[in-house]
Amino acid sequence: MVFSSILFLFRFFPAAMAVYFLTPKRFRNMVLLVESLIFYSWGEVRYFPIMVASILVDYIASNGIEKHRENRRACRAFLCLSVVFNLGMLGFFKYTNFLLGNLEALFGLSLPALSLTLPLGISFYTFQTMSYTIDVYRGKVPAEKNIVDFGAFVVLFPQLIAGPIVRYTDVNRELKSRMITPASFQEGVDIFIRGLGRKVLIANNIGALWTEVSAMNFSAISTPLAWLGILAYTFQIYFDFSGYSQMAIGLGRMLGFSFPQNFNDPYIAKSVTEFWRRWHMTLGSWFREYLYIPLGGNRCSFPRQIFNLFVVWAATGLWHGASWNFVLWGLYFFVFLVLEKAFLRPFLERSRVIGHLYLVFLVVVSWALFAITDFAALGRFLTAMFAFRGGSEWLYYLRNYGVTFLLAAMLSTPLLAKAEARFGKHLRPVKVIALTVVLVASIAYLEDATYNPFLYFRF
């Protein structure tokens, strides 16, 4: 079940909200826990025990650390229990077949692939619960004694499937006491509708172009069509993921939670460094806090900093998927981050235009590495991008998708937010009408269309 579906919008969501608000406040976390487990189990009931095990293991580990605070060896043992369980579960489901395939290729073995389905949201909630146990070990937060409250934090349905990656420190106070006012609920509805529109009306529409291009013979497509296709994917993945994150944040506001921002207009960045401060911000923050800084961060020699960045970006690539193209994608950004750290960034900051063009070019090329998992096909597509092949078929697609491209480009900037900040009080009726139109158009699209992918489901 995804937020951008008729099932969620007209069945699960109204029923869940009605039960939640009719329940006395002291029992609402129990309601959230049950509703979230139902939401998770709707399409993954066979993995229900894994979710329960995740709650129990991290609850036991964190309280074991709290109880044996003076015994460093016991604390480390409980921390290892949490880390090994979470990484082991993620590794088994996500990387077992990847490992078997590589062993088979390297040593000529015949290793049958396991019939495994990736549990929904496993890349997100394993990092989330693991960071909680690490924070308890570091003494940043006390262990949660109430297993219902802890379970609600782990499986909170608004952010369970695709984040944002919400740390316990982000919501621990709201788990105990949260205030929901008409204004905050209205704000949540506003954010949710905006996210739904970004996902359904922009990402789905422009994503159809990339789906069509990606099914073609890359050896035969023209250079303009190759660029048009990967530009479509560039907008699709941004509006797909940022829209889903907005829906999650909006749902959280309706329930009384303030989830962290996950995107901040990343395509207006002027360097790769700035881009990754704006794109998937909760993941970047997680890797910085729990991997880069423990490795030494910037508090070491430059060669060591390069090593630290290499580890982080190899891990970032692998986190996104069990395929070598994701590792290549992560290391691609690693190279440019090192170049910027060494000498390039001051030059980029002197010219906004050059810096922005540099960033957009690199990011668009990066999405080709990300989207195409087969290296032979990737080679053919990159050849099409840079071989300057002529052709006129791209004009047909430009005519069909030109308006969507323009709308996506505008919404990738802070122009709308700035206009609202300046004229919002005077345009309130216009804003209500606009949001109503977006909601109705999104529902009409979902009712009629069969194309409704969510790219980050596979991560």
Side-chain angles (χ1 to χ4, degrees):
M1 191 191 316
V2 295
F3 302 152
S4 54
S5 66
I6 297 297
L7 174 63
F8 178 84
L9 292 172
F10 290 100
R11 295 185 184 179
F12 181 85
F13 175 65
M17 296 301 277
V19 173
Y20 179 79
F21 283 109
L22 289 172
T23 301
K25 288 185 178 180
R26 66 181 181 276
F27 298 123
R28 283 185 178 174
N29 282 352
M30 174 61 80
V31 169
L32 273 181
L33 174 60
V34 173
E35 289 178 346
S36 298
L37 288 172
I38 292 171
F39 177 85
Y40 179 79
S41 301
W42 194 272
E44 293 286 349
V45 67
R46 61 178 171 165
Y47 289 140
F48 177 83
I50 293 172
M51 180 58 74
V52 173
S54 181
I55 294 170
L56 291 175
V57 167
D58 287 296
Y59 177 80
I60 291 168
S62 60
N63 279 276
I65 292 169
E66 192 76 34
K67 184 177 180 180
H68 300 90
R69 182 67 71 183
E70 304 304 318
N71 186 335
R72 299 293 292 176
R73 181 174 295 179
C75 288
R76 289 195 188 99
F78 281 113
L79 177 64
C80 286
L81 169 66
S82 173
V83 172
V84 169
F85 173 81
N86 283 291
L87 291 183
M89 185 169 61
L90 179 62
F92 176 74
F93 285 103
K94 194 167 185 176
Y95 302 107
T96 296
N97 285 331
F98 175 64
L99 178 62
L100 291 175
N102 280 283
L103 289 175
E104 192 173 27
L106 281 173
F107 301 108
L109 303 174
S110 180
L111 301 172
L114 301 182
S115 180
L116 295 174
T117 303
L118 190 65
L120 293 179
I122 191 171
S123 297
F124 292 89
Y125 68 74
T126 50
F127 271 34
Q128 185 167 297
T129 56
M130 193 163 56
S131 69
Y132 159 75
T133 312
I134 294 171
D135 284 346
V136 172
Y137 177 80
R138 291 174 173 177
K140 293 180 67 173
V141 292
E144 176 58 66
K145 304 296 183 185
N146 188 321
I147 193 169
V148 171
D149 291 353
F150 179 69
F153 157 70
V154 174
V155 296
L156 196 59
F157 76 85
Q159 51 79 59
L160 174 64
I161 301 299
I165 298 175
V166 178
R167 299 187 215 173
Y168 182 75
T169 51
D170 295 325
V171 296
N172 59 328
R173 292 179 183 175
E174 292 168 345
L175 280 169
K176 300 299 181 184
S177 177
R178 50 190 177 272
M179 181 69 68
I180 305 172
T181 65
S184 67
F185 189 88
Q186 181 181 337
E187 181 188 8
V189 172
D190 182 324
I191 296 170
F192 180 87
I193 293 174
R194 290 167 187 262
L196 181 66
R198 291 168 76 89
K199 167 70 182 78
V200 173
L201 302 180
I202 305 296
N204 285 7
N205 272 299
I206 209 161
L209 170 56
W210 169 247
T211 299
E212 194 167 345
V213 171
S214 65
M216 296 178 179
N217 177 6
F218 293 155
S219 300
I221 63 174
S222 68
T223 295
L225 183 57
W227 279 97
L228 202 63
I230 202 60
L231 278 172
Y233 186 81
T234 297
F235 284 127
Q236 181 192 12
I237 195 166
Y238 171 57
F239 285 99
D240 189 77
F241 194 18
S242 67
Y244 209 88
S245 291
Q246 271 192 297
M247 286 189 277
I249 292 168
L251 287 170
R253 291 294 293 150
M254 289 183 234
L255 296 169
F257 294 93
S258 296
F259 296 157
Q261 185 180 6
N262 213 19
F263 290 87
N264 182 22
D265 301 317
Y267 289 160
I268 69 168
K270 300 179 295 298
S271 66
V272 172
T273 303
E274 183 186 356
F275 174 80
W276 279 103
R277 290 174 180 165
R278 292 172 173 270
W279 178 279
H280 204 345
M281 295 155 67
T282 56
L283 179 67
S285 174
W286 197 98
F287 273 115
R288 182 171 59 253
E289 180 75 19
Y290 299 104
L291 186 57
Y292 184 65
I293 292 175
L295 285 171
N298 294 329
R299 305 181 311 275
C300 50
S301 66
F302 187 67
R304 176 68 190 195
Q305 289 179 44
I306 294 175
F307 173 77
N308 296 344
L309 284 170
F310 174 83
V311 172
V312 168
W313 284 97
T316 300
L318 269 177
W319 181 89
H320 279 85
S323 177
W324 284 112
N325 73 294
F326 292 114
V327 178
L328 176 63
W329 174 80
L331 295 180
Y332 170 90
F333 280 115
F334 155 75
V335 170
F336 289 101
L337 285 166
V338 170
L339 292 175
E340 289 178 12
K341 184 181 282 287
F343 67 89
L344 195 55
R345 196 170 175 205
F347 170 76
L348 297 172
E349 290 177 345
R350 284 198 293 269
S351 173
R352 294 177 59 88
V353 174
I354 292 175
H356 185 63
L357 291 175
Y358 152 90
L359 182 279
V360 169
F361 175 79
L362 292 182
V363 167
V364 171
V365 173
S366 81
W367 290 131
L369 307 181
F370 190 90
I372 304 170
T373 57
D374 179 78
F375 278 115
L378 175 60
R380 291 193 295 271
F381 188 79
L382 292 174
T383 300
M385 287 178 68
F386 296 102
F388 302 105
R389 290 191 198 130
S392 60
E393 78 279 30
W394 62 277
L395 292 170
Y396 166 79
Y397 295 100
L398 186 61
R399 283 195 298 268
N400 286 348
Y401 292 94
V403 174
T404 310
F405 270 112
L406 289 174
L407 189 59
M410 185 193 73
L411 293 176
S412 297
T413 72
L415 288 176
L416 185 61
K418 288 180 178 179
E420 285 190 58
R422 185 171 182 180
F423 304 110
K425 293 181 180 179
H426 307 289
L427 298 177
R428 192 164 294 168
V430 176
K431 177 180 172 182
V432 172
I433 293 171
L435 288 173
T436 302
V437 170
V438 169
L439 178 61
V440 172
S442 299
I443 292 170
Y445 180 96
L446 291 172
E447 184 66 34
D448 186 58
T450 57
Y451 182 80
N452 186 29
F454 178 48
L455 301 181
Y456 265 70
F457 253 147
R458 60 183 170 138
F459 307 129

